[in-house]
Amino acid sequence: MLQQSKDTQKDTQKNIVNDIYTQIFSCTTREQKKELLIELSGAIKPLIEIGEFGSVNEGLIDIFKNNTHKNFKTFNEWKKQGFKVLKGSKCFFVWSSPLRGKKPTEDTKKGKEEETTKEYKFFGMAYLFSNAQVEKL
């Protein structure tokens, strides 16, 4: 009975991972990828609070890992190490380092409209490929 319960848990975990891969690889637009990334990040935040992960990206990569996909790097990181990404490979995505942007604002405090810019930070998306998606040059 106990063994059956463990097998059921493993099957459930396997289905969850397969579902995540299906969701990731079926995203065709940047907006879909961003929505999924926000959803996955929300699920990881409580795990960060209890110390399971140091960052959202660490948790995302942990979700992506399995027996096949073990090591994740950007296209350029793989290239620098003498690998090429296989044609047709779909990327995994995580949050990028903070980026800076400028947004035009109207300053109406002085009685005249002057256009100024306001700086802000945001997180873009970074695209990763796994060891299963590359081959040695």
Side-chain angles (χ1 to χ4, degrees), residues 5-53:
S5 176
K6 286 183 180 180
D7 290 342
T8 304
Q9 284 180 332
K10 286 181 183 179
D11 288 343
T12 302
Q13 288 174 340
K14 194 181 220 183
N15 289 337
I16 290 170
V17 169
N18 287 337
D19 185 48
I20 288 172
Y21 287 140
T22 302
Q23 289 181 44
I24 290 169
F25 297 141
S26 67
C27 290
T28 56
T29 66
R30 191 174 197 293
E31 290 77 27
Q32 289 174 332
K33 291 176 184 177
K34 188 173 180 180
E35 285 175 23
L36 180 58
L37 196 52
I38 290 169
E39 183 182 327
L40 292 173
S41 298
I44 291 169
K45 283 184 181 181
L47 297 173
I48 293 170
E49 291 172 6
I50 63 169
E52 186 73 25
F53 299 114

Side-chain angles (χ1 to χ4, degrees), residues 81-94:
Q81 291 190 352
F83 291 85
K84 73 173 187 175
V85 174
L86 297 172
K87 187 174 183 170
S89 293
K90 301 265 186 168
C91 65
F92 293 86
F93 35 92
V94 295

Side-chain angles (χ1 to χ4, degrees), residues 94-106:
V94 295
W95 296 110
S96 71
S97 298
L99 303 171
R100 293 185 186 272
K102 290 184 179 182
K103 183 178 182 179
T105 60
E106 291 183 15

Side-chain angles (χ1 to χ4, degrees), residues 71-82:
N71 192 7
F72 296 86
K73 299 177 193 250
T74 65
F75 179 88
N76 286 332
E77 288 171 336
W78 283 117
K79 189 174 174 183
K80 284 179 188 173
Q81 291 190 352

Side-chain angles (χ1 to χ4, degrees), residues 10 50 58 62 67 122 125-126 132:
K10 286 181 183 179
I50 63 169
E58 185 183 319
D62 191 67
N67 291 336
F122 67 98
M125 289 191 298

